[in-house]
Amino acid sequence: MAENFLNKIICGDCLNIMQSLHSESIDLVITSPPYNLKNSTGNGMKDGRGGKWSNAKLINGYSNYDDCLSHKEYVNWQRKCLSEMYRLLKDNGAIFYNHK
Ligand SMILES: C[S@@+](CC[C@H](N)C(=O)[O-])C[C@H]1O[C@@H](n2cnc3c(N)ncnc32)[C@H](O)[C@@H]1O
């Protein structure tokens, strides 16, 4: 099953995609999930200052996602994502989870 994903970029909802894969079939997960910045009081990406990268495209927001869940919804979603990553991972695998 995982072979169908080799050398391809798959566009879809990460949870749906991960749920279609077999347990312990993945060596390495590298992810930079949405940071829920619109809800954040820090970092300043959404307050017009631009944070560290003043020309960042992300200042205009995502085209298909508003990045504005309640904290509870966001944490619940990310817990589901991390649980799926963990299920997919082989015993000697690793997850690199890049976050704010
Ligand atoms: C912090 S950005 C990471 C950007 C990436 N590192 C890059 O350089 O393009 C989070 C990305 O997650 C995507 N995203 C949002 N919801 C998603 C979902 N349910 N499944 C998969 N990707 C999603 C966003 O569209 C955005 O591209």
Side-chain angles (χ1 to χ4, degrees):
M1 184 63 181
E3 296 77 42
N4 297 337
F5 290 75
L6 284 181
N7 300 320
K8 289 180 183 162
I9 296 173
I10 309 295
C11 293
D13 184 281
C14 59
L15 268 182
N16 292 339
I17 304 291
M18 286 194 287
Q19 283 162 359
S20 74
L21 291 165
H22 291 304
S23 299
E24 299 180 34
S25 62
I26 300 292
D27 297 293
L28 175 65
V29 175
I30 302 173
T31 181
S32 175
Y35 306 144
N36 218 28
L37 279 175
K38 220 169 176 180
N39 247 6
S40 170
T41 54
N43 284 358
M45 287 291 279
K46 283 289 176 185
D47 71 0
R49 289 178 298 160
K52 193 172 178 181
W53 296 278
S54 58
N55 293 321
K57 185 82 175 139
L58 201 52
I59 292 170
N60 301 321
Y62 296 113
S63 57
N64 58 353
Y65 177 74
D66 64 10
D67 206 30
C68 192
L69 297 173
S70 70
H71 180 71
K72 192 175 171 186
E73 284 176 305
Y74 180 73
V75 169
N76 189 35
W77 177 45
Q78 285 304 300
R79 278 182 186 274
K80 282 184 188 165
C81 290
L82 282 159
S83 296
E84 272 304 295
M85 292 175 214
Y86 197 69
R87 179 186 67 78
L88 294 177
L89 215 58
K90 293 177 184 173
D91 274 352
N92 60 350
I95 299 173
F96 290 84
Y97 183 86
N98 176 61
H99 211 280
K100 63 183 177 182

